[in-house]
Amino acid sequence: MTDQPTIQEALVHVMMTTCVADRDMAHVELTAIRMLVDRLPVFAGFDIARLVPIAESTARTLAEENGLDVIIEMAKAALPARLYETAYALAVEVAAADVVARQEELHLLEMLRDALEVPTLAAAAIEHSARVRYRRL
């Protein structure tokens, strides 16, 4: 990853990283990413066609040594502090989309939470909210 991404691109990188954290790019997670990009105000004006190139860039970066650290540091550098919780919430949404959060996803969320300095109570509220939304009958 050579250029500094835009704020929106950084958020997509975070979501894509969460999607592939367990080495399984689940269709339901990709659908969740597209839905979030389509509907959330933070993505207003974002070109949905950018999702594929960003996903490819994310995959290339993750394949490099320390790629996960690079993605997290890039996100922290690109995002204003007021969007740190937003980035964490988007990652939690993607992890929750397939209802089963695997150990790799949980580890990534922990790394994001720490790097972005998301307060414990805020993180717990974000996580609880996602669990409630994705419950099944």
Side-chain angles (χ1 to χ4, degrees), residues 4-79:
Q4 176 78 3
T6 67
I7 291 169
Q8 293 171 324
E9 290 169 344
L11 292 170
V12 173
H13 280 292
V14 167
M15 291 189 294
M16 290 295 182
T17 300
T18 306
C19 181
V20 300
D22 60 2
R23 308 256 193 276
D24 178 26
M25 192 176 266
H27 177 71
V28 69
E29 291 174 331
L30 292 171
T31 300
I33 291 170
R34 183 171 177 102
M35 181 196 72
L36 291 165
V37 170
D38 278 343
R39 294 189 178 144
L40 293 180
V42 74
F43 291 108
F46 181 78
D47 180 5
I48 199 84
R50 295 276 308 127
L51 285 178
V52 171
I54 294 170
E56 291 168 349
S57 173
T58 301
R60 280 192 306 275
T61 302
L62 290 172
E64 298 172 5
E65 188 174 340
N66 300 319
L68 180 56
D69 294 327
V70 169
I71 295 275
I72 291 172
E73 286 304 313
M74 169 277 306
K76 187 170 183 173
L79 297 171

Side-chain angles (χ1 to χ4, degrees), residues 87-108:
Y88 184 70
L90 292 171
V92 169
E93 282 294 314
V94 173
D98 63 359
V99 184
V100 178
R102 292 180 175 77
Q103 193 60 40
E104 298 88 354
E105 290 171 319
L106 296 174
H107 181 66
L108 170 62

